[in-house]
Amino acid sequence: MTDTASMQPNRSPTGWLTFIVQQVLCALASFAMIWLSFKIGFASNQVVAIWPAAGLGVWMALRFGWASFFAQAGGQMLYSIVFQPDELVAFLPAIAGNAFAICLAVSIFNRFSATDLPLRSLKSTILLIVVAGGLHSVIAGAIGAIVVGSNASLTVSQMWAIGWRWFFSDFTGVVLIAPVAIVLLGINGIRSAWRSDRTVAFTRAAGMTFAVLISIAIASTQMPDALGQYPIVLLTMPLCIWLSFKEDTITSIVLLAVTVLGALALTLTRVGNVGGEGFLAVQLYGVVVMCTSLVLHAIAQERRAALLALAAERATLERTVHERTSELQDQITAYQKIKTELQIQATTDPLTGIANRRAFLEHLESSHSAMLRRSETMCLLMLDLDHFKSINDTYGHATGDDVLEVVGQILKAHARAGTDMPARLGGEEFAILLQNTNLEGGLIVGERLLEKIRSAIVKTSAGPVQFTASVGLALMTETLPSIDHALVAADEALYEAKGTGRDRLCTHDPMTVTISLKVAGQAAG
């Protein structure tokens, strides 16, 4: 993962000073690593068994890019000046080759793992092992073998052996040290910071790790000499596998490195007569265990990331479904509201607020069917305002509308809620259906309507306006063939009220209308 800005020092004097101090500290750390390498021993032609400075160099290249070349080379030169001054000039090409190989390999690693977190994805882990570790070690080993062979006049086979040893030394250092430096020190602003909630988990894992290492150290004293030094590293395999599956990368990587290095240290201290070749064999076991554990950790981390991504995607999907469901519910509610409003508009007279002609006729039809099933009676009252045209002509249509609205409210007030239905049939003509009502009850309601209308007053600028109405009543029984006969009977009763002086109520027998219709039909036939 590259971040060009993070590799460049701040151009201010303070920024340059901070960068120089960082490089000096890196060079001193590299010097300390080299000193430690030679303390371990097993050096052949100045090539030691493990080169941890290579792992530190990989971290420096990841952190500072090509600018780390001088810190890496400076640490190696400082060691030569202090401990091997006579060989400094001869080993300058090897020193430069080491630093160059690391910077080149890390540049390639960065290019191919630019979008991955180091050690937390399989791709970046394999690239770190193969490119940052393997490729750099091949280049550095080749350069080092040529330099050492030229200085010591070695044969080709001897140079090959030196190159292999150099490669393995650098590769071991990268595999064991670079991951630890990455997770603890971070690269390009990416670092796993310690958190209080990790302390307990790390303490438990560290305690188990050291307990296992101590147990292996005690057990190693009882191993048969025939087994040699190999079982110490092999016995740590279960612990390494367990550590590789730890969720926290810091805990996993640090304790894995401690385990493998501890196994190598136990081999040196607990097993007698470990020669250079024998230690290289144990070292190979350790490298295989470490690489395998790093790969397992990356796979486990990718699996956790995939599960988290799946859970997040599921949560997002559920949230989207919930939001979409809410939207659909809102749309359905809005649709139902519109539907209700349209239904009201289709069945309600806009001026008076009572049912219109269409709604009234539908209700009359359904009520008639129910009446026939229950053997009940109903009263149909039709009402027409008297001299309504003169009200419009004298006071204007606005006053006429006020009169119609008042009549509508009177009808509504005298209708039983959920039982009776008042309606405006059109113009100044109204009707009200009284369910489960006999003739006497219908007459009472009709007279009350006339009285209420007669006493109603509509105020205008020209003075108060009073008005009257005429009512026709038809009794509906189970013997009535259809609602048309009731409408005709009520209409005839209304005209009778109009013709006999207005402001009154008249009744008409629907059966008389039925007989008249039949007689008319027979005559036509």
Side-chain angles (χ1 to χ4, degrees), residues 421-438:
M421 173 177 273
R424 180 187 176 195
L425 301 182
E428 67 273 23
E429 188 177 8
F430 293 83
I432 182 170
L433 179 64
L434 306 175
Q435 297 195 50
N436 193 22
T437 303
N438 55 24

Side-chain angles (χ1 to χ4, degrees), residues 249-306:
T249 298
I250 292 180
T251 300
S252 180
I253 299 302
V254 171
L255 295 182
L256 279 171
V258 169
T259 300
V260 175
L261 289 172
L264 295 177
L266 287 175
T267 301
L268 290 175
T269 58
R270 306 300 293 180
V271 180
N273 301 319
V274 179
E277 296 300 326
F279 184 76
L280 287 176
V282 177
Q283 183 180 341
L284 177 60
Y285 276 106
V287 168
V288 171
V289 170
M290 187 66 179
C291 290
T292 302
S293 299
L294 290 175
V295 170
L296 287 177
H297 178 72
I299 293 173
Q301 291 296 74
E302 283 194 340
R303 181 177 180 275
R304 290 190 186 96

Side-chain angles (χ1 to χ4, degrees), residues 91-104:
F91 272 90
L92 277 178
I95 292 172
N98 258 353
F100 171 80
I102 290 175
C103 292
L104 177 63

Side-chain angles (χ1 to χ4, degrees), residues 328-341:
L328 290 175
Q329 188 61 45
D330 293 341
Q331 292 176 3
I332 292 173
T333 303
Y335 169 77
Q336 292 292 350
K337 183 179 179 180
I338 294 173
K339 180 181 177 182
T340 302
E341 291 176 353

Side-chain angles (χ1 to χ4, degrees), residues 37-38 40-52 54 98 133-134 136-146 148 154 156-174 268 274-281 283-284 287:
S37 301
F38 281 97
I40 294 175
F42 304 114
S44 175
N45 291 306
Q46 302 303 321
V47 181
V48 294
I50 300 178
W51 191 255
N98 258 353
H136 128 254
S137 299
V138 168
I139 298 174
I143 296 174
I146 293 173
V148 173
L154 302 178
V156 175
S157 60
Q158 289 174 325
M159 291 173 62
W160 176 263
I162 289 295
W164 161 248
R165 193 183 186 100
W166 196 300
F167 164 84
F168 195 47
S169 176
D170 276 14
F171 187 74
T172 304
V174 171
L268 290 175
V274 179
E277 296 300 326
F279 184 76
L280 287 176
Q283 183 180 341
L284 177 60
V287 168

Side-chain angles (χ1 to χ4, degrees), residues 119-127 294-296 298-299 302:
L119 304 171
R120 294 182 69 85
S121 73
L122 183 61
K123 176 184 175 183
S124 71
T125 301
I126 292 177
L127 285 173
L294 290 175
V295 170
L296 287 177
I299 293 173
E302 283 194 340

Side-chain angles (χ1 to χ4, degrees), residues 485 488 492 508-524:
H485 297 82
V488 171
E492 288 184 354
H508 200 291
D509 186 359
M511 293 306 299
T512 304
V513 177
T514 302
I515 295 172
S516 299
L517 289 172
K518 286 182 178 180
V519 171
Q522 292 172 358

